[in-house]
Amino acid sequence: MKNPKLLLCLFLFAGIIAGPAQVKAVASLDAAESFIKQDPHKLENPITVNYIKRNLRKSSPKLALTPAWERNLKRKIKQEPLVANYFEAVKANAIKVLEEPVLTRNMVGRRLLGTSRDMLHRMNVLGITYRIDGDKKYLDKINEELLAVSNFSDWNPSHFLDVAEMATAVALAIDWVGKDLPKSTVALAKTALIEKGINPSWEGNHGWIDGTNNWNQVCNGGMIAASIMIADQDPELAAKTISRSLDGMPHALEEYGPDGVYPEGSTYWGYGTAFSVLTSAMLESAFGTDFGIAEYPAFKASADFRKLSIAPSGWYYNYADCGDQHGTAGDIVLAWFGTKTGNPLYIEKEKFLQPTAEMGKLHRVAGAGLIWLAQFEASSEESLPTAWKGDGSNPIVIFRDDSDEADSYYFGGKGGKATISHGNMDAGSFIWELNGVRWVIDPGNQPYNELEITGFDLWGRCQDCERWTLLTKNNYGHSTLTVNDALHVNEGFASLENFSESAQPDALFDLTPVFGSMLDKAHRKFSRPDEQSLLIEDQVVANENTKMITWQLMTQADVEIVKGGAILRQEGKSVKLENLSHPDLMVSVVSLDPAPLKLDRQIDGLKRLEIRVPAWTLDNGEGTIEVKLTGM
């Protein structure tokens, strides 16, 4: 945008012409700026054919591996138990792959993604194991798999993630072991990279190119990997494709700002960020620079988000379409941040040192990850805060103890809006752990294909779209407010208005836009009064449309209704819920086991606690709903 201030003035003028209501909505230049989305901070992008010819490393390995990095890796395997143990886990995975049948073009619903991901895992573990071990059986298996996927009719371009992950796998394989493969295999694989990988990326309208979610990171990364590997035979195609990706990637990287929160949650942080760090490593090894990915504003800060999103129980703060639990093997994506910062906090040492048999199937970029894990050198360690906020397009706050012990205090609360990528109607929702129990839960995610094969429209996000009928997606399945028993406004954005990281931290979210015309004001404040408690205060202002305000809490605990609140019991522990503001309004329990719909996620013992506040009980239409949770 060349002149945003001019556009803002025009926007204001349009509001004045439109009438008083619009003027009120945009009352000043500063307020109007929130309506204008600025272009993201750019990556360096000098890519031309001449630049590639001058600067691209001529010989392999050059994708996330260089001769110097390989020498370092071999040295660290001999010298450092952590690196040696992780290599043994990689090798164990490679040995298991040898026993697997060759991949076939197996579509699951509309996706080939499972096959593409399996190929990426296979090429990672087989490729690095062959380079370190030298046993020809790994090379033969790579050759067999490359021939198979290169001869697929296509890599399913209608779901371009499938193409991107497959292209990454093929590119890494021919880079890492191509000199020892039959020339005919390498030629076939490079042709496949062009015809089944890059060329389809230039056909049709692909929103991932400058999209804001994980598709951008995965697909642009895959096209960069493929382009680097075919640059020797088609430098023009390689140059324009890499250049396009360097222009497109900032639109997703910008989403980490300003504090490092990944809007789609921790699971998708693991997915999108894995490809961004792999892309950084590939560009650095191929060109000697990653063009600014590693230093992109707030990108490194997202490592704290990843660590903080893992509760003491080992469960994630699982908002959005996030999975439930952190993996048992070491987090190899997080380890990249350890290498880049020198902070051992990001190296899950105990997990990397566990018996290899207990690690199971490793991350599909484990081979590349081993290379950057070997580059780690500890410098200074910075601890995690006990109160943290992450602002941005899906803001969250976290309160915690300065401990990872399983019985520690942990709270996560959020704002945001439903229509963000993988978003839910969960603005104002929260989760809470105390004494080793998750008392307040998020219902989490559901497998996509199981829903899609029924014809269910999972991805439509209009106000009346089918997505919002699911308990995991609508506000009825989250610990938030509901007004008039209605759905949240899908485009309503709940902003983080205030945050204090004092000894008694608190955070305030403005939920007002989530309720549209049904409520004039809804401010939700979370605070931690002491080591055992959580206080939730909702300041509300009703209007003529307000009939009922429902305070909700999702739990799997057994519930006993008592005067002024309830007692929650789970795993031999207890928590008291006190209705401080309306002690005469009885807490009610709605059983959600089984869940309302057959397609809903079924969660054992799930129930929704409700405090229903009729609008007529408010003093002149204003009031505060105040609820306290305390360990007993």
Side-chain angles (χ1 to χ4, degrees):
M1 189 168 302
K2 294 181 178 180
N3 194 339
K5 293 293 184 182
L6 175 59
L7 184 55
L8 288 167
C9 290
L10 292 172
F11 189 82
L12 283 168
F13 181 72
I16 293 170
I17 296 300
Q22 287 77 11
V23 174
K24 181 181 177 181
V26 188
S28 70
L29 191 62
D30 289 337
E33 286 183 359
S34 66
F35 289 84
I36 307 300
K37 186 171 179 61
Q38 301 295 315
D39 289 336
H41 173 80
K42 296 181 182 297
L43 295 173
E44 299 169 30
N45 190 357
I47 302 296
T48 62
V49 171
N50 287 336
Y51 183 90
I52 286 178
K53 289 180 177 178
R54 289 195 309 269
N55 295 280
L56 178 61
R57 183 183 290 275
K58 298 299 187 288
S59 59
S60 290
K62 57 189 172 190
L63 285 184
L65 185 62
T66 67
W69 292 359
E70 185 169 26
R71 290 192 296 271
N72 175 70
L73 173 58
K74 291 178 177 178
R75 181 173 67 253
K76 291 293 185 70
I77 288 173
K78 293 179 181 178
Q79 296 175 351
E80 294 192 8
L82 185 147
V83 179
N85 195 60
Y86 196 68
F87 168 65
E88 288 303 316
V90 170
K91 184 176 180 179
N93 273 227
I95 291 171
K96 190 168 184 178
V97 169
L98 295 176
E99 303 168 357
E100 298 291 333
V102 177
L103 291 169
T104 60
R105 192 179 180 282
N106 180 33
M107 292 286 293
V108 178
R110 64 192 183 99
R111 297 172 179 84
L112 186 64
L113 192 54
T115 299
S116 297
R117 289 176 169 176
D118 204 348
M119 180 66 175
L120 184 54
H121 171 261
R122 292 184 182 198
M123 297 303 98
N124 262 267
V125 298
L126 291 169
I128 289 301
T129 301
Y130 175 70
R131 291 202 70 96
I132 301 300
D133 188 281
D135 192 320
K136 192 172 180 294
K137 63 187 178 186
Y138 302 113
L139 180 69
D140 290 342
K141 181 64 169 173
I142 292 171
N143 185 63
E144 191 177 25
E145 299 288 0
L146 277 175
L147 289 172
V149 301
S150 297
N151 279 307
F152 284 0
S153 58
D154 60 41
W155 293 341
N156 195 36
S158 64
H159 191 257
F160 208 79
L161 288 178
D162 312 9
V163 177
E165 295 216 32
M166 187 68 80
T168 305
V170 171
L172 287 173
I174 59 180
D175 178 63
W176 288 355
V177 305
K179 67 181 180 61
D180 296 335
L181 290 171
K183 292 182 179 179
S184 57
T185 299
V186 174
L188 179 65
K190 285 190 174 184
T191 298
L193 284 175
I194 293 172
E195 296 181 354
K196 298 179 174 66
I198 300 173
N199 284 347
S201 79
W202 289 96
E203 299 166 1
N205 182 21
H206 295 293
W208 55 261
I209 294 170
D210 57 2
T212 59
N213 63 11
N214 64 85
W215 280 62
N216 176 313
Q217 298 165 278
V218 177
C219 297
N220 280 311
M223 293 304 95
I224 286 173
S227 297
I228 289 171
M229 290 318 301
I230 61 89
D232 58 339
Q233 64 187 62
D234 196 338
E236 290 82 7
L237 179 61
K240 74 173 187 176
T241 303
I242 297 173
S243 181
R244 180 189 64 183
S245 288
L246 291 178
D247 281 345
M249 288 175 66
H251 293 275
L253 295 172
E254 186 82 0
E255 290 295 301
Y256 289 85
D259 302 311
V261 167
Y262 197 77
E264 299 171 78
S266 194
T267 296
Y268 277 97
W269 178 95
Y271 186 31
T273 307
F275 276 82
S276 286
V277 302
L278 178 60
T279 302
S280 172
M282 293 189 297
L283 289 170
E284 187 178 353
S285 55
F287 291 103
T289 175
D290 73 350
F291 304 104
I293 295 173
E295 299 302 323
Y296 201 88
F299 186 60
K300 285 181 180 175
S302 75
D304 279 359
F305 161 74
R306 173 65 158 186
K307 287 288 291 183
L308 288 164
S309 68
I310 304 166
S313 62
W315 284 60
Y316 288 124
Y317 174 18
N318 57 331
Y319 69 89
D321 279 345
C322 182
D324 292 334
Q325 291 181 289
H326 191 47
T328 55
D331 191 333
I332 201 63
V333 179
L334 189 62
W336 180 90
F337 292 86
T339 294
K340 290 298 179 182
T341 63
N343 191 348
L345 181 68
Y346 307 138
I347 305 294
E348 295 184 333
K349 185 175 180 180
E350 291 183 4
K351 289 185 176 182
F352 284 125
L353 285 172
Q354 67 182 306
T356 57
E358 296 179 14
M359 291 193 198
K361 186 175 181 178
L362 299 177
H363 196 288
R364 55 191 179 278
V365 301
L370 176 64
I371 299 162
W372 61 64
L373 182 65
Q375 296 169 358
F376 173 73
E377 297 289 344
S379 52
S380 61
E381 181 171 359
E382 297 180 13
S383 60
L384 294 171
T386 55
W388 181 85
K389 66 96 175 173
D391 217 327
S393 58
N394 206 7
I396 69 167
V397 295
I398 289 171
F399 307 153
R400 56 183 286 275
D401 286 341
D402 192 13
S403 168
D404 290 327
E405 296 300 318
D407 60 353
S408 298
Y409 185 108
Y410 184 90
F411 159 82
K414 71 181 297 297
K417 68 176 180 177
T419 55
I420 197 166
S421 179
H422 292 282
N424 300 320
M425 291 180 170
D426 61 358
S429 69
F430 63 101
I431 60 104
W432 186 54
E433 290 186 8
L434 186 71
N435 298 327
V437 176
R438 181 163 289 198
W439 297 100
V440 184
I441 75 164
D442 189 293
N445 193 15
Q446 297 179 246
Y448 305 148
N449 187 62
E450 291 180 11
L451 294 167
E452 291 170 343
I453 59 176
T454 68
F456 188 88
D457 179 13
L458 180 59
W459 303 111
R461 292 180 289 181
C462 63
Q463 183 64 47
D464 298 321
C465 279
E466 203 167 14
R467 178 179 179 89
W468 313 126
T469 63
L470 294 174
L471 201 63
T472 54
K473 313 305 178 192
N474 61 41
N475 44 291
Y476 311 124
H478 291 91
S479 301
T480 185
L481 295 177
T482 291
V483 178
N484 297 345
D485 296 320
L487 290 172
H488 283 182
V489 175
N490 65 329
E491 290 288 353
F493 176 72
S495 57
L496 175 59
E497 293 295 307
N498 188 58
F499 172 75
S500 169
E501 52 183 336
S502 63
Q504 295 177 314
D506 61 65
L508 177 70
F509 290 93
D510 181 4
L511 306 187
T512 310
V514 169
F515 302 111
S517 62
M518 294 182 292
L519 209 61
D520 279 352
K521 177 183 175 181
H523 283 183
R524 168 159 281 200
K525 181 181 179 181
F526 298 110
S527 57
R528 181 183 180 179
D530 54 58
E531 294 182 352
Q532 293 286 308
S533 300
L534 174 68
L535 182 64
I536 307 101
E537 299 171 90
D538 293 304
Q539 296 179 346
V540 298
V541 176
N543 59 34
E544 65 276 10
N545 299 317
T546 312
K547 306 302 179 187
M548 181 71 69
I549 301 169
T550 305
W551 189 98
Q552 302 171 181
L553 182 146
M554 305 296 293
T555 187
Q556 291 176 278
D558 295 326
V559 180
E560 177 189 356
I561 304 301
V562 299
K563 184 178 180 180
I567 305 296
L568 280 61
R569 296 185 176 90
Q570 195 170 349
E571 299 178 22
K573 312 286 178 61
S574 298
V575 157
K576 185 177 183 180
L577 184 156
E578 296 178 89
N579 184 356
L580 299 178
S581 60
H582 299 77
D584 294 333
L585 294 179
M586 183 176 291
V587 176
S588 58
V589 181
V590 179
S591 176
L592 297 170
D593 179 15
L597 300 180
K598 185 177 181 180
L599 289 178
D600 274 321
R601 182 180 184 181
Q602 304 299 317
I603 300 174
D604 291 341
L606 183 65
K607 50 192 69 74
R608 182 175 66 238
L609 305 191
E610 295 184 348
I611 301 172
R612 294 176 68 82
V613 182
W616 59 263
T617 65
L618 300 176
D619 187 10
N620 293 320
E622 298 185 18
T624 299
I625 304 170
E626 189 174 1
V627 178
K628 187 177 183 181
L629 300 170
T630 306
M632 299 176 65

